[in-house]
Amino acid sequence: MTASDNREDERYIVLNRPDMWRRGLMAGLRELPEGGLALSEKPVYAAHSVYAPIKLPPGEEPVDFAVGLGPTLYLLREGGRRLDLYDVAAGRWFDMLDFVVSGLQGATRLAYRDGMLYLAAGTGERRLGAISELTGQLVWTADASGDRTGRPWPHASGEASNEPLDWRAGAMAVDWREGSLYVLDRLQRRMLQLDATGRAVRVFGREELDDAQPSAIAVSAAGDVYVLDGLHRRVHRFREGLEKGRFGIPLAAPAGLAADADGVVYVGESRPLSDGAEEDRYIHRYGTLGEPLGPLPGYRGPAHKLFIGESGDLYAWNREQSAIVPLQRRSVLAGGGSGQLIEGYYFSAALDSTEAAMRWHKLVLDASVPDNAQLEVSWLYGEHKRLELQGAVRDLDAYLADSSIDPSVKAIALNALDWSEARLNPRDMLLSGIGGRYIWLRIRFIASGDRSPELRSVTAWCPRQSYLRYMPAVYSEDQNGRDFLERYLSLFETFLSASERTIDRIARWFDADAVSGEYLRWLAGWLHVAYDENWPEEKLRRLLGEIPALYRIRGTREGLLRIIELYTGERPFIVETFQLRCAASAEVRETFVRLFGEDPYRFTVLLKTGQAGEESERRTVRRLIEDDKPAHTAASLVPLQPWIYLDRHTYLGVNTYLSRPSSAMEETGGAVIGQDTLLTDDGKSGFVQGKSSVGLDTVLI
């Protein structure tokens, strides 16, 4: 983007938008969410900084676990009669439920999603059930031959079968994104997919898993379903019921399977160790296509089950030590280890001055550079875009945009060009050299710690117009002296040019449509506008826009009505004393006096029901009234209430309504529900002797 600041035709080009960064080459860098560039990061799992390994309590043999929000760990024991709850943050175990009374017995598998616990039993009529985490009530069940509605399971083709489908859950997993529940049927060697309400969606994987021994499943954030085949030591990948690939796992006894948000697949080991042998079992990582990514550095030992919760943390179950180990997911700078130097490059596309032989002036960087990090900036001039690259003359911008060339190969070729001497951590730097129409920038990001330098924008100024032009001509005659003096004066130019630009553009700070945040409120203070600090900016901006018109009618009835309407969104009522002369009797007059008083210099502002409902809003309305009313008058503020109260502020058609039952109600002998009555049910399941809806959130068994 090229613009002018109206100072002797000086122009600048800014790199600060994602589309502009992407025209160049980012090698080892990432885009920041708030805009800008930083060194690439990679996710790692390491010992949790807050949560210690969870020792399982004595009792029946644990058979499965799941992790909910909080985080909360749920442990299922042998026989499915007991579920233990562990508050991970507090470090305490609690007995939770007894499934003898729940109607689902013999549960062997457990899963969790969004306040619902899913349990699967290996035998019995009811094979699957959903339990409310909040109430412990059974919400729905699915039996051995059909889904919760009694319909038969569909075939792999999606058509229903009339034949009973006996199935036995070997593992379960949930899709955090869509809410689907996947059950691994180890009896029939297939996958069953249900929605969050227990209705069958599809059956798949029968042919692909026909000769397998599937033992674990996992679902990635992208919706891929992974199945671990312990017999052939391989992983199958499915999407929407179709196999998309498979890859081998060179482990003696693979066990446990998980997939993270980046599509990395994690597989544990369960082979036994001989006495005295050194621990060499790890959690191994694989890419989506099966490429090995090495073991997980933060964990050593067997992992009989792996689970990644909605928060992204990984939990590994070590049966030998009867413990579940939480591993925290965090991001570290990619490409380096302890004490290693991490670097990345940004090569910009050509910045075009549109003029030949342009002598570029300076670069201004908006960047933050932490300790143990730095930015190195160098540049390259050219009158045209064709330069010699790898022994051939190529258009440099076309080369940067060529997606068929690996970025690392591009970086090597571009680094071989004749770049200027690098400047270290510049904020505002002069560009030396004879110049050219185009300029390319090379910015090297370097870090040796755990924090990356962040570059938010780069501004290139041209043509060269330094403070040397204000000096007598004698100071420019000697080239060496000219260069030194120009660099020396650039220090003062850096300090003063920012102030000059601020002064040049100061008018925009007085435009309510152009400013925001603290500047908008500062402008309101200049205009002595009474406003609430909690006002949204759009409301305050609208008020400031009408201030000239409001000041012309300030102190009048219409002015007060309008300013309160701008704040509350509704026009209030104003009752002045002279309007009460219409009283038809002494009794009515007495009521008027009690409600509004008889001071001829007092008036009353009536707010409609719901208008300025919070006390803080009513305080703002009172302040608006005090600032806007004539000095010799007094005012009362009355918020109207939505009920009938005789001899008080009750106004028909404003805050009080008379109604009668509708004809439909009269015919059926029904009742009228009052205006202020709200019927709602935001619960997820029923309560015994409490709210429940048979067929919706409660099942009778």
Side-chain angles (χ1 to χ4, degrees), residues 325-345:
V325 181
L327 300 172
Q328 186 177 22
R329 176 187 172 97
R330 57 176 180 259
S331 295
V332 299
L333 297 181
S338 177
Q340 294 185 11
L341 194 66
I342 306 166
E343 66 176 13
Y345 285 91

Side-chain angles (χ1 to χ4, degrees), residues 416-431:
L417 295 174
D418 188 20
W419 297 94
S420 71
E421 182 180 354
R423 304 285 177 84
L424 182 63
N425 296 335
R427 301 294 189 194
D428 193 316
M429 53 179 281
L430 283 177
L431 294 170

Side-chain angles (χ1 to χ4, degrees), residues 543-559:
L543 175 61
L544 293 178
E546 293 203 25
I547 280 296
L550 287 172
Y551 276 178
R552 284 196 293 269
I553 58 175
R554 188 176 188 182
T556 67
R557 177 191 182 97
E558 181 59 31

Side-chain angles (χ1 to χ4, degrees), residues 37 74 148 407 425 458 665 681 688:
L37 303 176
Y74 299 96
R148 59 170 292 194
N425 296 335
V458 181
M665 285 294 186
D681 184 359
V688 175

Side-chain angles (χ1 to χ4, degrees), residues 594-642:
R594 185 173 65 255
L595 294 179
F596 302 103
E598 53 184 348
D599 184 351
Y601 300 107
R602 174 174 291 276
F603 62 91
T604 302
V605 178
L606 302 175
L607 298 180
K608 298 177 183 178
T609 301
Q611 187 179 9
E614 300 292 333
E615 179 57 34
S616 61
E617 296 175 337
R618 291 193 288 272
R619 283 198 299 266
T620 301
V621 172
R622 291 189 185 98
R623 188 171 56 173
L624 289 171
I625 295 171
E626 288 299 321
D627 286 350
D628 214 54
K629 71 179 181 62
H632 67 283
T633 62
S636 300
L637 179 67
V638 177
L640 299 180
Q641 301 299 330

Side-chain angles (χ1 to χ4, degrees), residues 127 165-171 182-192 203 206 209 214 217:
R127 296 293 174 86
L165 176 62
D166 187 21
W167 55 277
R168 187 171 303 164
Y182 293 89
V183 180
L184 172 61
D185 179 8
R186 62 187 176 92
L187 185 65
Q188 304 288 342
R189 298 188 183 91
R190 66 179 76 196
M191 299 294 300
L192 313 178
V203 177
R206 180 67 181 90
L209 302 174
I217 60 173

